[in-house]
Amino acid sequence: MKTLIENDYLLLTPGPLSTSPTVRQAMDRDWCTWDEEYNEGVVTPIRQRLVELATATCPKDYTCVLMQGSGTFSVEAMLGSTIGPTDRLLVLANGVYGNRLAQIADCLRIDHVVHDSGELERPDLDRLDDELAQDESITHVVLVHGETTTGMINPLLPIAAMVKGHGRLLLVDSMSAFGGVPLDIAELGIDYLVSSANKCIQGVPGFGFVIGRKAHLEQTKGWARSLSLDLHAQWQDMEQGRGKWRFTSPTHVVRAFYQALMELEAEGGIAVRHARYSENQRRLVTGMDRLGFDCVLPAEYQGPIITGFHNPTHPDYDFGRFYAMLKEKGFVIYPGSVTGIDSFRIGTIGHVFPNDIDRLLLAIESSMYWA
Ligand SMILES: *Cc1c(COP(=O)(O)O)cnc(C)c1O
């Protein structure tokens, strides 16, 4: 009899996040990377299901490529492999992860321009319209869906309509939102979307994935600026090898991810998961407001993934001490990262439920040693 191991604390961080005991238990055996039981029984169904989660309307136009490494490796694979040598990229940035897109473009020497709207603002649609109208050399636009710096959800619908209206390719870093926020990439016209195992699908860290439009991906052979992060080559191996990865795959992590996908389905799918995350976040904000904590973002920009709160200004308050007291009580929170704002963050995704948020609020109330 295997026993399910409970964790010492709940991770209220947006990745890695708290996973279910059954997801962790799924890692408890070894797999052969060239045997069909693994490739056709685990890898291929994962690729198919991810496409189906990304679009209900037109799955046949898209494919999914899994890539070793943390989420950033997949972002780098996407940018480095799908932007041609004479193409030009527009980066919409409003936080750490938007800036990272520009950093990757810099590092890979991809010709690019940055539209930075500031960490507390959404991209300016009129400005984007002008930028696309005036610079015909821009071929691709990339943005972050859920900006984990603040918890901002960027408005994909009007941005996608504008980018597609100008006939450009649209790439989305939906790392922290995919699986927890409903969307249909075919309906939106998104060409490539990237996410990873350890965010809203609720797997453990170790790989990411890119869901891309086949008709474009087919044209990108030889474009990759890296040997190992070559999306087209990985795609071809996965197709021809029926689930085979080019280099050693993180087998245990992949098997755990398969279990996480089953659990997402059992929960009722993305819409139901989104409702749970939203309820977690609503309870959190209501309770924190009662305790005197103010949110960093205006409510209309705030998504259900992670929420920033201003640190108390009391002279006796110290984040490190507050953090340690909460950890002692079984909850791990996250420091802030918004420039110039003294804040901390609490994630509401993962194997975390409204009653956990109620317990968290009691723990916070009893840890307010400065009040
Ligand atoms: C988590 C995350 C990433 C990837 O971060 P890694 O540390 O490489 O996994 C990228 N973009 C966003 C918006 C994220 O939340």
Side-chain angles (χ1 to χ4, degrees):
M1 253 305 268
K2 287 178 184 168
T3 51
L4 296 176
I5 313 288
E6 288 301 334
N7 283 320
D8 290 345
Y9 47 67
L10 205 60
L11 279 171
L12 299 170
T13 57
L17 37 61
S18 292
T19 55
S20 70
T22 36
V23 163
R24 281 176 270 124
Q25 189 182 48
M27 289 186 283
D28 198 9
R29 71 158 272 197
D30 302 322
W31 294 83
C32 174
T33 56
W34 52 264
D35 190 83
E36 65 183 26
E37 195 191 353
Y38 174 68
N39 288 324
E40 288 183 53
V42 182
V43 179
T44 299
I46 286 176
R47 294 181 60 217
Q48 280 161 354
R49 271 163 206 274
L50 286 173
V51 171
E52 287 159 12
L53 288 175
T55 171
T57 58
C58 211
K60 69 173 184 2
D61 285 356
Y62 289 89
T63 188
C64 177
V65 186
L66 312 181
M67 186 60 78
Q68 296 92 333
S70 85
T72 305
F73 291 60
S74 286
V75 177
E76 195 155 346
M78 173 178 75
L79 294 179
S81 309
T82 69
I83 300 173
T86 59
D87 289 342
R88 181 166 162 86
L89 174 70
L90 171 70
V91 180
L92 296 172
N94 53 359
V96 169
Y97 294 97
N99 292 338
R100 188 175 296 172
L101 296 169
Q103 247 182 319
I104 292 171
D106 252 338
C107 198
L108 298 179
R109 296 177 177 77
I110 293 169
D111 182 25
H112 68 284
V113 54
V114 181
H115 166 143
D116 188 344
S117 50
E119 287 169 323
L120 302 181
E121 285 302 330
R122 289 173 153 185
D124 181 335
L125 288 170
D126 291 334
R127 185 178 149 197
L128 176 61
D129 199 14
D130 285 347
E131 284 162 337
L132 293 175
Q134 280 164 22
D135 189 346
E136 284 177 9
S137 66
I138 294 170
T139 50
H140 296 58
V141 176
V142 67
L143 83 154
V144 174
H145 181 195
E147 182 43 88
T148 320
T149 311
T150 51
M152 170 113 59
I153 293 288
N154 281 316
L156 282 186
L157 191 67
I159 293 172
M162 183 163 291
V163 172
K164 300 321 284 184
H166 282 278
R168 314 302 167 83
L169 288 158
L170 181 60
L171 281 51
V172 178
D173 169 354
S174 186
M175 200 72 63
S176 63
F178 183 72
V181 176
L183 93 177
D184 188 311
I185 58 170
E187 241 166 42
L188 290 165
I190 292 170
D191 296 286
Y192 294 95
L193 175 142
V194 58
S195 184
S196 77
N198 61 280
K199 303 265 171 140
C200 296
I201 309 283
Q202 298 182 183
V204 303
F207 74 96
F209 50 89
V210 179
I211 299 162
R213 192 188 293 284
K214 284 182 202 164
H216 187 264
L217 189 57
E218 276 164 1
Q219 305 166 26
T220 63
K221 185 172 163 59
W223 287 9
R225 292 161 177 84
S226 154
L227 176 79
S228 53
L229 299 177
D230 184 333
L231 207 61
H232 186 276
Q234 180 92 321
W235 176 46
Q236 288 305 300
D237 267 31
M238 284 190 168
E239 288 290 320
Q240 281 143 27
R242 295 189 304 279
K244 178 90 175 58
W245 299 50
R246 272 167 87 219
F247 306 121
T248 301
S249 76
T251 45
H252 301 73
V253 172
V254 173
R255 182 57 185 86
F257 187 77
Y258 183 77
Q259 173 66 21
L261 279 174
M262 298 297 125
E263 294 181 14
L264 172 58
E265 199 170 291
E267 184 172 355
I270 292 176
V272 175
R273 181 156 294 180
H274 177 250
R276 169 163 65 84
Y277 289 170
S278 299
E279 176 58 19
N280 286 347
Q281 200 271 344
R282 256 194 307 276
R283 273 196 206 203
L284 175 69
V285 169
T286 307
M288 291 296 273
D289 180 61
R290 188 171 44 77
L291 295 173
F293 291 90
D294 296 324
C295 293
V296 169
L297 271 193
E300 69 267 27
Y301 290 171
Q302 178 68 59
I305 294 153
I306 186 165
T307 307
F309 297 95
H310 290 276
N311 271 316
T313 51
H314 194 285
D316 293 342
Y317 172 80
D318 172 62
F319 176 75
R321 182 163 168 206
F322 181 47
Y323 171 91
M325 287 175 78
L326 289 177
K327 185 176 167 194
E328 185 67 28
K329 292 173 180 142
F331 301 95
V332 167
I333 64 170
Y334 211 39
S337 77
V338 181
T339 318
I341 296 182
D342 187 18
S343 60
F344 64 90
R345 290 175 289 175
I346 299 182
T348 35
I349 60 176
H351 194 65
V352 174
F353 298 86
N355 68 307
D356 294 314
I357 301 299
D358 294 341
R359 292 191 301 113
L360 167 72
L361 289 163
L362 289 173
I364 289 177
E365 191 167 11
S366 66
S367 304
M368 292 170 65
Y369 62 90
W370 64 89

